[in-house]
Amino acid sequence: MWFKNLHIFRFLHPVTTSAEDLHEQLTKAIFQPCGKMDMESMGWVPPLGRDSESLVHAANKCIIFSARKEEKILPPSVVREFVNDKVEEIETQQMRRVRKREKDEIREEVLHDLVPRAFTRSTYLFAYIDITHGWLLVDTPSRKKAEELVTFLRTTIGSLPVVPPQIQQSPARIMTQWLIKENDCPIDLDLADACVLTDQEGAVVNCKRQDLLAEEIQGHLDAGKLVTRLALEWNDRLGLILDDELVIRRLHLLDLIQAQLNDANTETPAQRFDAEFAIMTGELASLIKRLFEVFGGENEEAYAKMR
Protein backbone atom coordinates (compact mmCIF):
# COMPACT_ATOMS: atom_id res chain seq x y z
CA MET A 1 0.00 0.00 0.00
CA TRP A 2 2.99 2.30 -0.31
CA PHE A 3 2.16 5.72 -1.74
CA LYS A 4 3.72 6.22 -5.16
CA ASN A 5 3.14 9.98 -5.38
CA LEU A 6 2.82 12.67 -2.78
CA HIS A 7 1.03 16.00 -2.69
CA ILE A 8 1.78 17.71 0.62
CA PHE A 9 -0.62 20.06 2.40
CA ARG A 10 0.11 21.89 5.65
CA PHE A 11 -2.53 22.34 8.36
CA LEU A 12 -2.66 25.96 9.51
CA HIS A 13 -3.65 24.89 13.03
CA PRO A 14 -2.68 21.93 15.23
CA VAL A 15 -4.57 18.76 14.30
CA THR A 16 -6.90 17.70 17.10
CA THR A 17 -9.07 15.08 15.39
CA SER A 18 -8.89 11.41 16.35
CA ALA A 19 -9.36 8.34 14.18
CA GLU A 20 -12.75 7.74 15.80
CA ASP A 21 -13.89 11.31 15.16
CA LEU A 22 -12.75 11.24 11.54
CA HIS A 23 -14.49 7.91 10.91
CA GLU A 24 -17.72 9.35 12.29
CA GLN A 25 -17.44 12.43 10.08
CA LEU A 26 -16.69 10.42 6.95
CA THR A 27 -19.84 8.33 7.43
CA LYS A 28 -21.75 11.41 6.24
CA ALA A 29 -20.51 10.73 2.71
CA ILE A 30 -20.02 6.98 2.32
CA PHE A 31 -19.61 5.98 -1.31
CA GLN A 32 -22.76 5.24 -3.25
CA PRO A 33 -22.72 4.03 -6.90
CA CYS A 34 -23.84 6.38 -9.65
CA GLY A 35 -27.58 6.79 -9.93
CA LYS A 36 -29.40 6.18 -13.19
CA MET A 37 -28.75 9.67 -14.55
CA ASP A 38 -25.61 10.54 -12.57
CA MET A 39 -22.40 10.98 -14.54
CA GLU A 40 -20.22 10.54 -11.45
CA SER A 41 -20.31 9.75 -7.76
CA MET A 42 -17.71 10.15 -5.02
CA GLY A 43 -17.62 8.89 -1.46
CA TRP A 44 -15.47 7.42 1.32
CA VAL A 45 -14.56 3.74 1.44
CA PRO A 46 -12.53 1.63 3.92
CA PRO A 47 -8.79 1.97 3.18
CA LEU A 48 -8.27 -1.70 4.10
CA GLY A 49 -10.77 -2.80 1.45
CA ARG A 50 -14.13 -4.54 1.45
CA ASP A 51 -13.34 -6.81 4.38
CA SER A 52 -13.15 -3.79 6.69
CA GLU A 53 -15.94 -1.58 7.95
CA SER A 54 -13.84 1.28 9.28
CA LEU A 55 -13.39 4.30 7.03
CA VAL A 56 -10.01 5.05 8.63
CA HIS A 57 -6.95 3.21 9.89
CA ALA A 58 -4.55 4.67 12.44
CA ALA A 59 -0.91 3.92 13.25
CA ASN A 60 2.14 5.94 14.24
CA LYS A 61 -0.10 8.97 15.03
CA CYS A 62 -1.28 9.00 11.42
CA ILE A 63 -4.77 8.37 10.04
CA ILE A 64 -5.24 6.95 6.54
CA PHE A 65 -8.50 7.11 4.59
CA SER A 66 -9.66 6.56 1.02
CA ALA A 67 -12.15 7.98 -1.47
CA ARG A 68 -13.71 6.17 -4.42
CA LYS A 69 -14.88 8.03 -7.51
CA GLU A 70 -17.13 6.32 -10.03
CA GLU A 71 -17.60 7.88 -13.46
CA LYS A 72 -19.83 7.01 -16.40
CA ILE A 73 -17.84 6.37 -19.58
CA LEU A 74 -19.64 8.26 -22.32
CA PRO A 75 -17.21 9.74 -24.87
CA PRO A 76 -18.36 13.03 -26.47
CA SER A 77 -17.72 11.50 -29.90
CA VAL A 78 -20.34 8.83 -29.20
CA VAL A 79 -22.93 11.41 -28.12
CA ARG A 80 -22.10 13.55 -31.15
CA GLU A 81 -22.57 10.59 -33.51
CA PHE A 82 -26.01 9.75 -32.10
CA VAL A 83 -27.06 13.40 -32.29
CA ASN A 84 -25.84 13.78 -35.88
CA ASP A 85 -27.65 10.60 -36.94
CA LYS A 86 -30.89 11.88 -35.42
CA VAL A 87 -30.48 15.31 -36.99
CA GLU A 88 -29.80 13.77 -40.40
CA GLU A 89 -32.88 11.56 -40.08
CA ILE A 90 -35.13 14.53 -39.27
CA GLU A 91 -33.72 16.70 -42.06
CA THR A 92 -34.11 13.89 -44.60
CA GLN A 93 -37.63 12.89 -43.63
CA GLN A 94 -39.05 16.37 -42.99
CA MET A 95 -37.06 18.23 -45.67
CA ARG A 96 -36.00 21.00 -43.31
CA ARG A 97 -32.97 22.20 -41.42
CA VAL A 98 -32.64 21.40 -37.73
CA ARG A 99 -31.82 24.60 -35.80
CA LYS A 100 -29.51 24.87 -32.80
CA ARG A 101 -32.25 24.93 -30.18
CA GLU A 102 -33.79 21.74 -31.54
CA LYS A 103 -30.36 20.14 -31.82
CA ASP A 104 -29.75 20.90 -28.12
CA GLU A 105 -33.06 19.23 -27.28
CA ILE A 106 -32.05 16.18 -29.32
CA ARG A 107 -28.75 16.05 -27.45
CA GLU A 108 -30.60 16.02 -24.12
CA GLU A 109 -32.79 13.17 -25.35
CA VAL A 110 -29.71 11.22 -26.45
CA LEU A 111 -28.05 11.72 -23.08
CA HIS A 112 -31.22 10.65 -21.30
CA ASP A 113 -31.12 7.45 -23.31
CA LEU A 114 -27.38 6.73 -23.17
CA VAL A 115 -26.36 7.70 -19.62
CA PRO A 116 -28.26 4.88 -17.85
CA ARG A 117 -26.65 2.36 -20.20
CA ALA A 118 -23.07 3.69 -19.99
CA PHE A 119 -20.28 1.63 -18.46
CA THR A 120 -18.64 2.92 -15.30
CA ARG A 121 -15.05 3.04 -14.06
CA SER A 122 -13.79 3.63 -10.55
CA THR A 123 -10.64 5.28 -9.26
CA TYR A 124 -9.39 5.35 -5.68
CA LEU A 125 -7.54 8.12 -3.89
CA PHE A 126 -5.65 7.47 -0.65
CA ALA A 127 -4.53 10.12 1.80
CA TYR A 128 -3.43 10.33 5.39
CA ILE A 129 -3.19 12.93 8.11
CA ASP A 130 0.09 13.11 10.01
CA ILE A 131 -1.10 14.46 13.36
CA THR A 132 2.39 15.00 14.80
CA HIS A 133 3.66 17.13 11.92
CA GLY A 134 0.38 18.70 10.82
CA TRP A 135 0.39 17.37 7.26
CA LEU A 136 -2.22 16.02 4.88
CA LEU A 137 -0.56 13.76 2.29
CA VAL A 138 -2.42 12.69 -0.86
CA ASP A 139 -1.27 9.84 -3.13
CA THR A 140 -1.71 11.15 -6.67
CA PRO A 141 0.53 12.66 -9.35
CA SER A 142 -2.25 15.08 -10.35
CA ARG A 143 -2.67 18.45 -8.66
CA LYS A 144 -6.29 18.52 -9.88
CA LYS A 145 -7.10 15.20 -8.21
CA ALA A 146 -5.32 16.21 -5.01
CA GLU A 147 -7.35 19.41 -4.84
CA GLU A 148 -10.52 17.43 -5.62
CA LEU A 149 -9.93 15.16 -2.64
CA VAL A 150 -9.12 18.13 -0.37
CA THR A 151 -12.32 19.88 -1.47
CA PHE A 152 -14.40 16.75 -0.94
CA LEU A 153 -12.90 16.20 2.52
CA ARG A 154 -13.55 19.84 3.42
CA THR A 155 -17.17 19.52 2.26
CA THR A 156 -17.60 16.33 4.28
CA ILE A 157 -16.17 17.50 7.60
CA GLY A 158 -17.09 21.19 7.31
CA SER A 159 -13.63 22.73 7.71
CA LEU A 160 -10.15 21.89 6.48
CA PRO A 161 -7.56 24.66 6.93
CA VAL A 162 -4.75 23.28 4.75
CA VAL A 163 -2.44 24.94 2.20
CA PRO A 164 0.50 23.84 0.07
CA PRO A 165 3.83 24.10 1.92
CA GLN A 166 5.41 27.55 2.01
CA ILE A 167 9.19 27.27 1.73
CA GLN A 168 11.86 29.90 2.37
CA GLN A 169 13.96 29.21 -0.74
CA SER A 170 13.09 28.35 -4.33
CA PRO A 171 13.31 24.57 -4.87
CA ALA A 172 14.04 25.13 -8.57
CA ARG A 173 17.07 27.30 -7.84
CA ILE A 174 18.40 25.02 -5.13
CA MET A 175 18.03 21.91 -7.32
CA THR A 176 19.74 23.77 -10.16
CA GLN A 177 22.70 24.48 -7.88
CA TRP A 178 22.99 20.76 -7.17
CA LEU A 179 23.67 20.13 -10.85
CA ILE A 180 26.35 22.77 -11.22
CA LYS A 181 29.67 20.97 -11.04
CA GLU A 182 31.19 23.00 -8.25
CA ASN A 183 28.16 22.46 -6.05
CA ASP A 184 27.28 19.14 -4.42
CA CYS A 185 23.98 17.67 -3.32
CA PRO A 186 23.45 17.28 0.42
CA ILE A 187 25.29 14.19 1.60
CA ASP A 188 22.10 12.17 2.10
CA LEU A 189 20.64 13.03 -1.33
CA ASP A 190 22.16 11.41 -4.42
CA LEU A 191 21.46 12.46 -7.97
CA ALA A 192 19.78 9.77 -10.06
CA ASP A 193 19.55 9.84 -13.85
CA ALA A 194 16.64 12.10 -14.81
CA CYS A 195 15.62 15.74 -14.70
CA VAL A 196 13.46 18.33 -16.43
CA LEU A 197 14.96 21.72 -17.33
CA THR A 198 12.81 24.77 -18.11
CA ASP A 199 13.57 28.36 -19.10
CA GLN A 200 11.53 31.56 -18.73
CA GLU A 201 10.18 31.26 -22.28
CA GLY A 202 8.70 27.86 -21.51
CA ALA A 203 11.22 25.74 -23.39
CA VAL A 204 11.49 22.29 -21.78
CA VAL A 205 14.30 19.73 -21.90
CA ASN A 206 13.39 16.28 -20.55
CA CYS A 207 16.48 14.25 -19.66
CA LYS A 208 16.22 10.52 -18.91
CA ARG A 209 18.88 7.91 -18.21
CA GLN A 210 21.63 10.50 -18.38
CA ASP A 211 24.61 11.60 -16.31
CA LEU A 212 23.19 14.79 -14.84
CA LEU A 213 26.67 16.30 -14.47
CA ALA A 214 27.50 15.81 -18.15
CA GLU A 215 28.56 18.75 -20.35
CA GLU A 216 25.28 18.63 -22.27
CA ILE A 217 23.29 19.30 -19.07
CA GLN A 218 25.75 21.99 -17.98
CA GLY A 219 25.24 23.76 -21.31
CA HIS A 220 21.50 24.04 -20.69
CA LEU A 221 22.13 25.37 -17.17
CA ASP A 222 24.63 27.91 -18.49
CA ALA A 223 21.92 29.08 -20.92
CA GLY A 224 19.68 29.93 -17.96
CA LYS A 225 17.46 26.89 -17.64
CA LEU A 226 16.32 25.83 -14.17
CA VAL A 227 15.71 22.34 -12.81
CA THR A 228 11.97 21.88 -12.33
CA ARG A 229 12.05 18.09 -11.75
CA LEU A 230 14.90 16.02 -10.41
CA ALA A 231 15.33 12.30 -9.77
CA LEU A 232 16.95 11.63 -6.38
CA GLU A 233 17.78 8.85 -3.97
CA TRP A 234 17.56 9.60 -0.27
CA ASN A 235 19.73 7.86 2.31
CA ASP A 236 19.70 4.58 0.36
CA ARG A 237 16.10 4.25 1.50
CA LEU A 238 13.78 5.90 -1.03
CA GLY A 239 13.93 6.91 -4.68
CA LEU A 240 11.81 9.75 -6.00
CA ILE A 241 11.31 12.54 -8.52
CA LEU A 242 10.92 15.94 -6.87
CA ASP A 243 9.45 18.95 -8.64
CA ASP A 244 9.72 22.66 -8.00
CA GLU A 245 6.35 22.70 -6.17
CA LEU A 246 7.54 20.00 -3.74
CA VAL A 247 5.36 17.35 -5.35
CA ILE A 248 6.97 13.92 -5.04
CA ARG A 249 6.47 11.48 -7.91
CA ARG A 250 7.50 7.90 -8.66
CA LEU A 251 8.28 7.21 -5.03
CA HIS A 252 9.84 3.76 -4.69
CA LEU A 253 11.63 1.68 -2.10
CA LEU A 254 15.35 1.08 -2.08
CA ASP A 255 17.04 -1.96 -0.57
CA LEU A 256 17.10 -0.86 3.08
CA ILE A 257 13.35 -0.28 3.30
CA GLN A 258 12.53 -3.30 1.18
CA ALA A 259 14.51 -5.49 3.57
CA GLN A 260 12.70 -3.92 6.52
CA LEU A 261 9.34 -4.74 4.96
CA ASN A 262 10.42 -8.28 4.16
CA ASP A 263 11.42 -8.78 7.79
CA ALA A 264 8.05 -7.61 9.12
CA ASN A 265 6.29 -10.46 10.94
CA THR A 266 2.82 -10.42 9.40
CA GLU A 267 0.33 -13.23 8.81
CA THR A 268 -2.79 -11.52 7.46
CA PRO A 269 -3.39 -8.77 4.86
CA ALA A 270 -4.55 -6.44 7.66
CA GLN A 271 -1.33 -7.02 9.61
CA ARG A 272 0.69 -6.45 6.45
CA PHE A 273 -1.18 -3.20 5.78
CA ASP A 274 -0.59 -2.03 9.35
CA ALA A 275 3.13 -2.82 9.23
CA GLU A 276 3.62 -1.13 5.86
CA PHE A 277 1.64 1.93 6.92
CA ALA A 278 3.67 2.35 10.13
CA ILE A 279 6.98 2.03 8.25
CA MET A 280 5.83 4.29 5.41
CA THR A 281 4.63 7.12 7.63
CA GLY A 282 7.88 7.09 9.60
CA GLU A 283 10.03 7.16 6.46
CA LEU A 284 7.99 9.84 4.73
CA ALA A 285 8.01 12.05 7.81
CA SER A 286 11.81 11.94 7.86
CA LEU A 287 12.04 12.53 4.11
CA ILE A 288 9.67 15.52 4.10
CA LYS A 289 11.33 17.15 7.08
CA ARG A 290 14.69 16.76 5.36
CA LEU A 291 13.41 18.26 2.10
CA PHE A 292 11.97 21.23 3.93
CA GLU A 293 15.31 21.66 5.68
CA VAL A 294 17.43 21.68 2.51
CA PHE A 295 15.14 24.32 1.00
CA GLY A 296 15.60 26.66 3.94
CA GLY A 297 12.72 25.58 6.14
CA GLU A 298 9.08 26.60 6.13
CA ASN A 299 7.98 30.23 5.92
CA GLU A 300 6.06 30.69 9.14
CA GLU A 301 5.26 34.33 8.32
CA ALA A 302 3.46 33.18 5.17
CA TYR A 303 1.41 30.69 7.19
CA ALA A 304 0.57 33.39 9.76
CA LYS A 305 -0.92 35.59 7.05
CA MET A 306 -3.13 32.71 5.88
CA ARG A 307 -4.60 31.95 9.29
Side-chain angles (χ1 to χ4, degrees):
M1 58 74 57
W2 270 75
F3 282 22
K4 293 180 174 58
N5 305 279
L6 215 59
H7 273 79
I8 307 168
F9 296 89
R10 160 68 70 187
F11 279 87
L12 294 175
H13 304 287
V15 182
T16 58
T17 191
S18 66
E20 293 77 12
D21 291 339
L22 184 59
H23 168 81
E24 191 64 30
Q25 290 174 308
L26 296 186
T27 58
K28 302 173 186 175
I30 293 176
F31 173 78
Q32 300 293 334
C34 289
K36 182 178 179 180
M37 295 305 298
D38 294 331
M39 286 300 296
E40 63 180 37
S41 177
M42 190 169 183
W44 305 108
V45 295
L48 270 70
R50 297 178 179 178
D51 293 335
S52 173
E53 295 183 356
S54 178
L55 297 176
V56 302
H57 180 77
N60 206 21
K61 293 188 176 179
C62 296
I63 309 171
I64 189 171
F65 50 96
S66 177
R68 176 180 174 183
K69 184 176 182 180
E70 185 179 78
E71 298 173 281
K72 293 280 182 70
I73 304 173
L74 190 57
S77 59
V78 173
V79 176
R80 188 161 51 248
E81 182 177 350
F82 272 84
V83 171
N84 290 341
D85 287 347
K86 185 65 175 176
V87 168
E88 183 179 352
E89 178 184 348
I90 293 173
E91 290 182 340
T92 300
Q93 292 181 354
Q94 300 183 18
M95 302 291 291
R96 64 180 180 84
R97 183 181 177 186
V98 174
R99 302 292 181 179
K100 181 180 183 304
R101 181 175 178 180
E102 186 178 1
K103 186 178 290 188
D104 291 341
E105 292 174 351
I106 292 172
R107 185 177 185 278
E108 290 301 317
E109 292 175 2
V110 167
L111 287 174
H112 193 271
D113 180 53
L114 293 181
V115 168
R117 297 188 284 140
F119 290 104
T120 62
R121 65 181 172 194
S122 290
T123 55
Y124 295 82
L125 279 175
F126 287 82
Y128 73 86
I129 296 172
D130 185 322
I131 296 174
T132 300
H133 300 100
W135 299 329
L136 170 63
L137 308 176
V138 185
D139 181 11
T140 176
S142 165
R143 170 64 68 179
K144 180 180 178 181
K145 290 184 177 180
E147 293 287 358
E148 182 179 29
L149 183 134
V150 168
T151 299
F152 187 60
L153 181 59
R154 182 180 290 116
T155 301
T156 301
I157 67 179
S159 175
L160 188 65
V162 297
V163 296
Q166 306 296 305
I167 303 299
Q168 295 282 4
Q169 299 181 30
S170 164
R173 295 195 177 278
I174 297 297
M175 291 190 295
T176 301
Q177 291 176 10
W178 293 346
L179 294 196
I180 298 175
K181 286 186 176 180
E182 60 266 24
N183 287 280
D184 293 328
C185 264
I187 193 170
D188 55 343
L189 288 169
D190 294 321
L191 298 177
D193 62 355
C195 71
V196 175
L197 309 174
T198 308
D199 66 18
Q200 293 182 347
E201 283 72 40
V204 176
V205 177
N206 195 346
C207 307
K208 295 181 179 179
R209 295 185 292 276
Q210 291 193 18
D211 176 5
L212 299 186
L213 299 180
E215 291 296 332
E216 179 183 357
I217 304 295
Q218 298 302 312
H220 288 297
L221 299 178
D222 292 341
K225 289 184 175 64
L226 295 176
V227 178
T228 51
R229 289 191 184 182
L230 184 62
L232 298 164
E233 293 184 355
W234 172 68
N235 250 355
D236 295 325
R237 306 178 76 81
L238 296 172
L240 63 139
I241 292 179
L242 180 67
D243 77 12
D244 57 343
E245 294 183 343
L246 292 183
V247 176
I248 295 172
R249 294 181 170 84
R250 299 186 186 178
L251 185 67
H252 58 277
L253 312 181
L254 299 181
D255 290 345
L256 286 177
I257 301 302
Q258 191 61 63
Q260 190 174 350
L261 286 175
N262 293 339
D263 291 341
N265 185 18
T266 59
E267 297 180 358
T268 67
Q271 290 175 339
R272 179 73 175 178
F273 185 101
D274 191 62
E276 289 188 358
F277 183 55
I279 294 171
M280 181 184 76
T281 54
E283 293 297 326
L284 292 185
S286 297
L287 170 65
I288 294 169
K289 286 194 296 182
R290 180 58 177 144
L291 292 177
F292 285 176
E293 183 179 284
V294 300
F295 295 126
E298 294 183 88
N299 188 338
E300 295 298 336
E301 291 184 2
Y303 291 138
K305 293 177 182 179
M306 298 176 182
R307 293 188 177 102

